[in-house]
Amino acid sequence: MAACCRTAALLLQRTKTSPCALIAARTYSSGGQYQHIIVDRKGEKQNVGFIQLNRPKALNALCDGLMTEMGQALDAFEEDKQIGAIVITGSEKAFAAGADIKEMQNRNFQECYAGNFLAHWNKVSLVRKPVIAAVNGFALGGGCELAMMCDIIYAGEKAQFAQPEILLGTIPGAGGTQRLTRAVGKSLAMELVLTGDRISAQEAKLAGLVSKVYPADQVVQEAIKCGEKIAGNSKLVCIMAKEAVNAAFELTLAEGNRMEKRLFHATFATDDRKEGMTAFVEKRKAAFTDK
């Protein structure tokens, strides 16, 4: 045992790699500890966290195990100071075709209510770092809800969005009725929730659900590029900016403006605000330190 410890210590000394970095390297390996997702780093500076849903036979249906693993991966990226943004994607055929119906088919009210069923799915919306959904193929039911939990949605040209729970005798249970209405307005949200109809990527963009549409083979790379651009800014101030924008969905205009002003003032306590403005005046690129 002592020999093993000495060997590990020598390895760390020679490579000048911290134990945390070694743990992160294992965590982000494509195999690693995950069964239902692939986790990696992307970008030239390896500063974009990457999560790919990996249940191809089930069209990336969202089972409890997958969502638990996603929560673990998101926690790891939150703690990693190098990561400035996170991309979540699926396959070209399906981002996520919905919740795993076989898993919930025989549940009853008592266990759903007592166990607060699907509560942990909300983890994505609680992440403080910016999260980008790169959607190809089907984003149906829980898949659409997962995309809407993200801060930005990029879609492939053949992506389809829907909340078809009504066709199964139930309603959305992971934010579909709430986030969809806020994104596209009452009329379209009501139509989609009550009919189960699908809309295309182009229709989703026109409705305000999606920010950009790309060819299917480019959408993931474009999402990573967006993540790199975000990660190149002050990570601390990006968290503040995200908090301010999200407050618009919860507060009145007056309350939201007051919160924005407080966060704006708070940036003046950071080194990055000083560096950003100084760099602008000196006509050079800012070198943010996330402090």
Side-chain angles (χ1 to χ4, degrees):
M1 181 67 182
C4 289
C5 291
R6 284 196 299 271
T7 302
L10 284 171
L11 179 61
L12 289 172
Q13 191 174 23
R14 287 172 187 168
T15 59
K16 297 183 180 180
T17 303
S18 70
C20 291
L22 290 177
I23 292 169
R26 288 196 296 270
T27 301
Y28 300 144
S29 64
S30 58
Q33 66 195 54
Y34 303 108
Q35 291 182 317
H36 305 299
I37 60 176
I38 295 171
V39 181
D40 204 352
R41 292 169 173 266
K42 298 290 184 179
E44 185 178 338
K45 296 182 179 179
Q46 298 285 283
N47 55 3
V48 178
F50 183 79
I51 300 174
Q52 182 175 9
L53 312 188
N54 190 34
R55 297 188 72 206
K57 293 182 180 179
L59 295 178
N60 292 329
L62 304 177
C63 63
D64 187 69
L66 185 152
M67 296 306 292
T68 298
E69 288 182 359
M70 182 174 293
Q72 294 168 351
L74 290 170
D75 283 340
F77 284 139
E78 281 275 77
E79 293 174 9
D80 190 330
K81 293 181 180 180
Q82 188 177 349
I83 297 296
I86 301 164
V87 170
I88 297 176
T89 192
S91 65
E92 281 201 19
K93 189 173 184 179
F95 175 73
D100 192 326
I101 303 304
K102 292 180 181 179
E103 195 174 74
M104 65 173 67
Q105 178 183 3
N106 296 316
R107 288 181 179 268
N108 58 37
F109 165 75
Q110 289 83 350
E111 63 181 307
C112 286
Y113 188 74
N116 202 9
F117 183 46
L118 300 187
H120 66 298
W121 284 34
N122 205 43
K123 175 68 179 178
V124 178
S125 67
L126 301 177
V127 173
R128 300 183 77 195
K129 294 179 180 179
V131 183
I132 305 163
V135 178
N136 269 318
F138 302 121
L140 312 179
C144 186
E145 290 172 309
L146 174 60
M148 290 190 292
M149 290 179 202
C150 299
D151 302 304
I152 298 169
I153 303 177
Y154 281 6
E157 290 175 335
K158 296 182 179 180
Q160 297 181 44
F161 298 84
Q163 296 293 160
E165 290 86 351
I166 198 75
L167 305 178
L168 302 177
T170 187
I171 68 170
T177 62
Q178 303 304 301
R179 293 190 177 94
L180 186 63
T181 305
R182 285 165 169 77
V184 305
K186 177 184 176 181
S187 182
L188 181 55
M190 196 70 82
E191 180 183 357
L192 295 178
V193 169
L194 294 178
T195 65
D197 286 349
R198 302 177 187 180
I199 58 173
S200 67
Q202 290 76 16
E203 290 171 314
K205 185 177 185 300
L206 287 173
L209 181 62
V210 166
S211 59
K212 291 183 181 178
V213 177
Y214 293 99
D217 61 349
Q218 297 178 24
V219 64
V220 173
Q221 195 54 46
E222 291 297 333
I224 292 169
K225 286 180 183 178
C226 179
E228 287 185 281
K229 187 178 292 187
I230 292 169
N233 296 319
S234 166
K235 297 177 181 64
L236 179 63
V237 177
C238 280
I239 290 173
M240 291 180 178
K242 173 174 173 173
E243 184 178 349
V245 173
N246 280 336
F249 294 98
E250 307 292 339
L251 305 175
T252 65
L253 179 59
E255 292 168 337
N257 278 332
R258 279 195 293 271
M259 180 179 181
E260 178 190 79
K261 203 73 74 203
R262 291 192 193 102
L263 288 168
F264 168 67
H265 293 159
T267 66
F268 283 75
T270 68
D271 293 343
D272 284 343
R273 192 283 313 169
K274 185 175 182 180
E275 164 62 14
M277 292 189 176
T278 300
F280 177 82
V281 171
E282 295 177 355
K283 297 182 179 180
R284 61 176 174 81
K285 186 176 180 179
F288 295 121
T289 57
D290 307 320
K291 294 179 181 179

